[in-house]
Amino acid sequence: GDSVTQMEGPVTLSEEAFLTINCTYTATGYPSLFWYVQYPGEGLQLLLKATKADDKGSNKGFEATYRKETTSFHLEKGSVQVSDSAVYFCALIIQGAQKLVFGQGTRLTINP
Amino acid sequence: ETGVTQSPTHLIKTRGQQVTLRCSSQSGHNTVSWYQQALGQGPQFIFQYYREEENGRGNFPPRFSGLQFPNYSSELNVNALELDDSALYLCASSPGSGAPHEQYFGPGTRLTVT
């Protein structure tokens, strides 16, 4: 079946550090890929997306590239801020399907 | 443009009781999906409604049921509550079924079953 695997958390970094959160997927069809962010006590917010191979999604300094050959969609940011502290979820949806399939989430804490 | 709203914010129920959660979709969206997020886990798909019909269901028992209304708002009903039903219930709306549209989430309803 379809699944998403994220790197284990929690991840703790200092402000201005470089961030990578790994995400790999298994899909029975052709997926679109997403990163969602969940701030404490809130629902999910779409951070970025990519709908086909080699697409790069970007938003708020975050980037992720759809790599079909490695079935990956790693999240990166060059310089993190304290306000980036949240839980990050990688997700996929298969074209023609109804459901988002989520990874288990990675908790990120940025220290000043 | 109004985003996805959910009510209530928090709810405490006793095992065996029934609960109804509500969701208003984002303006222009005709598809609503419901997810269950247990503590420390990613959301799990419960079901989706498209134009008032169920349009896909995840691995949840029949005591999880739903409705969608003509204005595309939706309800999630859970009967015979169990302790493991304690979770954050998220509603998401999207502009249509079939295509891989991104889904926009509400703030969630946190259900505690004691």
Side-chain angles (χ1 to χ4, degrees), chain B residues 56 66 80 83 94 98:
Chain B
L83 297 179
S94 54

Side-chain angles (χ1 to χ4, degrees), chain A residues 93 96-100, chain B residues 30-35 45-58 67-68 74 92-94 96-99 101 103:
Chain A
I93 190 167
Q98 296 80 34
K99 64 177 183 179
L100 279 164
Chain B
N30 58 15
T31 302
V32 172
S33 303
W34 286 92
Y35 293 82
F45 176 73
I46 303 174
F47 45 57
Q48 183 184 87
Y49 278 83
Y50 171 62
R51 293 186 176 179
E52 303 179 56
E53 296 289 331
E54 188 178 288
N55 185 47
R57 188 178 182 92
L67 283 173
Q68 188 178 33
S74 178
S93 74
S94 54
S97 178
H101 296 289
Q103 298 182 7

Side-chain angles (χ1 to χ4, degrees), chain A residues 32 34 36 38 41-46 49 51 87 89 93-105 107, chain B residues 33 35 37 40-45 48 55-58 88 90 97-108:
Chain A
S32 292
F34 305 88
Y36 281 85
Q38 187 172 38
E42 298 185 12
L44 301 176
Q45 298 178 23
L46 177 66
K49 68 173 182 178
T51 58
V87 181
F89 292 94
I93 190 167
I94 301 298
Q95 189 162 1
Q98 296 80 34
K99 64 177 183 179
L100 279 164
V101 177
F102 287 88
Q104 73 273 29
R107 181 174 297 279
Chain B
S33 303
Y35 293 82
Q37 185 181 14
Q41 302 295 315
Q44 298 291 317
F45 176 73
Q48 183 184 87
N55 185 47
R57 188 178 182 92
L88 181 67
L90 295 165
S97 178
H101 296 289
E102 57 265 34
Q103 298 182 7
Y104 295 87
F105 285 81

